[in-house]
Amino acid sequence: MLVAVNGIRLFVDVENAGLVPAGDAMREKPALLLLHGGPGFDHSAFKPLFAGLSDVAQVIYVDHRGNGRSEDGDRSAWTLAQWGDDVKGLCDALGLVRPIVLGMSWGGYVAQSYATRYPDHPGKLVLVSTAARVDFPAIFERFGQLGGPDVARIAETYWTAPTAERRAEYFRTCVPFYRRRPVDPARLRRVLMRDDTALHFNGPGNEQGRMDFRPALGRVRCPVLVMAGEHDPLVPPSVSEALVAALPPDRVRFECVADCGHDLFGDAPELAFGLLREFIATA
């Protein structure tokens, strides 16, 4: 369905009921709002894995503006501030109170924008395979460690000066190192890909290179679960540690998962979903 938010319509899908019978009463499950990676992707990578959380949460998917099936709006509004405002606006439109917001990869940037702009709104925050500030040299070094100098060179060529041609080469050569386990090719084919959105945001000269949430993360007031993969080429351990260090120490839990890359839920689904389930259930 399409939901009107901040002057555009966002594509939203809902996995299950939020209010369910429980004996002689009705039980309200928490809303788990999933923010997909990219930019330039859609929510489809969450399906069908996250449907398994239907017993503990109402799972809500959204395509960000300029991504997937959502409307573009004015491209000057393709910013983390606007994407963060859209999360709050969507929650208002759907009547979501104290949602659990999970941001994966680039969706984690959006989640940080939302949580630092509206610190009293989220009930809980989950930041998966994401950064408060991108460390490009560390990315190139990690790709070199995982794939050798040619892979590091292709990663550096794309991230320092993104173009559609370099992005295609990056996807062929570097993206396979995102995971420790093979990915189902059908899963990749299902994704609605938008190169223009990625090229608008990615790289040191664009907002990706300018963003730094570390000074603002101290405002976060809800419990936060940070999850990272030990072998993630995009978010090396030092980057995850810097994100965790910027959050209030009494509110953050950090889990670095061994033998995992960027896609934790693909590389170690039982462990990753177990951690997420425990966090959802914790008061």
Side-chain angles (χ1 to χ4, degrees), residues 245-256:
L247 287 159
D250 60 332
R251 301 185 186 275
V252 63
R253 173 181 175 183
F254 179 41
E255 297 287 349
C256 185

Side-chain angles (χ1 to χ4, degrees), residues 148-164:
D150 287 343
V151 173
R153 175 186 56 79
I154 291 169
E156 183 171 2
T157 297
Y158 172 67
W159 287 112
T160 53
T163 67

Side-chain angles (χ1 to χ4, degrees), residues 105 128-130 138-139 142-143 145-146 177-180 227-237 240 257 259-264 267:
S105 190
V128 183
S129 302
T130 195
I139 291 173
R142 180 48 63 95
F143 270 116
Q145 293 168 351
L146 294 172
F177 291 95
Y178 280 26
R179 286 183 55 146
R180 306 290 282 178
M227 302 173 67
E230 179 186 18
H231 300 289
D232 187 343
L234 291 185
V235 188
S240 298
V257 184
D259 200 29
C260 282
H262 195 61
D263 185 357
L264 290 177
D267 278 343

Side-chain angles (χ1 to χ4, degrees), residues 125-142:
L125 192 65
V126 186
L127 302 175
V128 183
S129 302
T130 195
R133 184 177 185 274
V134 177
D135 186 340
F136 289 102
I139 291 173
F140 310 148
E141 181 180 359
R142 180 48 63 95

Side-chain angles (χ1 to χ4, degrees), residues 18 44-45 59 69 73 105 108 133 136 141-142 144 166 172-173 179 184 187 204 208 211 217 227 236 247 255:
S44 64
V59 182
R69 297 161 182 81
S105 190
R133 184 177 185 274
F136 289 102
E141 181 180 359
R142 180 48 63 95
R166 291 174 176 178
R172 286 193 300 270
T173 306
R179 286 183 55 146
D184 178 4
R187 182 185 178 196
Q208 185 183 33
M211 74 169 210
L217 284 173
M227 302 173 67
L247 287 159
E255 297 287 349

